[in-house]
Amino acid sequence: MVGLTAREFECVQLAGQRLRDKEIAAKLGISPKTVANTLASAYRKLGVSDRLQAARLLGELYPGQSLPSDAAAELPPLDRADSDGSVASGTWRAGYRPPPRGAILRLALILVFMILSAVLALGFSAILAGGMSSLQTTAPATAR
């Protein structure tokens, strides 16, 4: 029914045992990026969107294999942060980075964006005001 490769099956099995991409990569002798890509391929084939669903479905599809039955039920949520503040691989969509964790850095970024927004707004209003005044000076006297 589902054509998982041996590597995809191994990766989903290990993910079902609560291992992170780095740990799976170390066990299989491949890179964490390869693990993430392999898991993404397995998710597509299984029609699921995360480790929890993949591990449960794999346990249902291949009951004779060595996937722990309670591993899927105990998986932590995918958006958890590790103790070092990094987010487990595969959690965030490609190209998206989580906001910085420090409150001071967040406030500084908000302040920078507010200042940039104010400068842009003032620049646009100055351009519009300059354009209106030049239109008034070049318009015929009867149009004023």
Side-chain angles (χ1 to χ4, degrees):
M1 177 180 161
V2 176
L4 290 181
T5 65
R7 181 55 53 93
E8 289 168 343
F9 188 84
E10 284 178 313
C11 286
V12 173
Q13 267 189 318
L14 293 171
Q17 295 172 11
R18 302 179 65 180
L19 297 179
R20 295 187 322 231
D21 287 359
K22 288 180 185 177
E23 296 166 327
I24 296 170
K27 278 192 175 247
L28 299 179
I30 57 178
S31 76
K33 182 69 175 170
T34 301
V35 171
N37 289 336
T38 304
L39 285 173
S41 175
Y43 298 163
R44 277 191 304 275
K45 290 179 181 179
L46 293 170
V48 298
S49 60
D50 61 34
R51 292 171 185 254
L52 176 63
Q53 294 170 342
R56 284 186 180 153
L57 186 58
L58 193 66
E60 292 171 12
L61 292 175
Y62 303 99
Q65 299 297 327
S66 62
L67 183 70
S69 60
D70 63 339
E74 296 178 16
L75 285 176
L78 280 181
D79 60 352
R80 70 176 174 78
D82 294 334
S83 60
D84 63 354
S86 64
V87 177
S89 178
T91 300
W92 300 95
R93 298 197 190 284
Y96 176 79
R97 295 183 190 271
R101 295 183 62 85
I104 294 174
L105 186 55
R106 284 185 188 183
L107 289 174
L109 286 174
I110 290 170
L111 183 62
V112 166
F113 286 119
M114 286 176 52
I115 291 171
L116 286 175
S117 298
V119 167
L120 285 174
L122 289 173
F124 284 129
S125 61
I127 290 171
L128 288 175
M132 291 301 291
S133 66
S134 68
L135 282 176
Q136 287 176 350
T137 58
T138 59
T142 57
R144 293 185 203 167

